[in-house]
C-alpha cells in the first residue's frame, strides 16, 4: 500500500540559475507522478513574500507524493534533477498523513 511522503528540498543560496536550468527535467518527473495518480501537491517556496519572487528566487520546494516505502521516496528524492544540478543543499523525506481535505 502506498503512503504519502513529504519531500522538502532546501535550496543553496544563489541557485536560481541552476534551478531554472534543471526545471524542465524536474517537472517531467513530477508530471509522471501526477499521471500515475501519486502526486498530492508540489511547489517551490518563494524566497520573499510574493508569488513571483523574480531574482530573489526560491528557498526550496515541497513535494507530497505516494510511494511504496520511505526508502522508495528517499531514492526518488535523491534522483531529482535539482539534486544533481546542485540546487538543493539538503533534502528531507518524512512520512505524511493526509487528514484534510
Amino acid at each position: 500500500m502506498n503512503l504519502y511522503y513529504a519531500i522538502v528540498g532546501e535550496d543553496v543560496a544563489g541557485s536560481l540559475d541552476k534551478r531554472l536550468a534543471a526545471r524542465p527535467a524536474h517537472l517531467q518527473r513530477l508530471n509522471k507522478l501526477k499521471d500515475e495518480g501519486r502526486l498530492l501537491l508540489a511547489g517551490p517556496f518563494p524566497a520573499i513574500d510574493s508569488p513571483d519572487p523574480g531574482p530573489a528566487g526560491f528557498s526550496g520546494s515541497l513535494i507530497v507524493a505516494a510511494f511504496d516505502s520511505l526508502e522508495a521516496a528517499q531514492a526518488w528524492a535523491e534522483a531529482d534533477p535539482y539534486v544533481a544540478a546542485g540546487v538543493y543543499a539538503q533534502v528531507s523525506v518524512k512520512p505524511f498523513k493526509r487528514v484534510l481535505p
Side-chain angles (χ1 to χ4, degrees):
M1 177 177 148
N2 284 348
L3 298 174
Y4 283 115
Y5 295 88
I7 300 168
V8 178
E10 302 283 341
D11 283 19
V12 171
S15 62
L16 181 58
D17 289 343
K18 291 177 181 179
R19 175 182 270 273
L20 293 175
R23 188 170 188 261
H26 173 77
L27 290 178
Q28 183 178 19
R29 295 178 82 232
L30 291 173
N31 279 314
K32 184 174 187 295
L33 288 178
K34 184 183 85 171
D35 293 345
E36 294 170 352
R38 296 169 48 201
L39 184 64
L40 183 61
L41 64 88
F45 300 120
I48 60 173
D49 192 13
S50 172
D52 182 6
F58 301 91
S59 64
S61 302
L62 169 65
I63 300 163
V64 180
F67 292 92
D68 290 333
S69 65
L70 178 60
E71 293 77 18
Q74 288 170 328
W76 187 92
E78 290 168 7
D80 193 291
Y82 283 174
V83 172
V87 174
Y88 290 154
Q90 65 180 19
V91 179
S92 64
V93 182
K94 297 180 181 183
F96 179 82
K97 182 178 176 181
R98 181 180 181 175
V99 175
L100 294 170

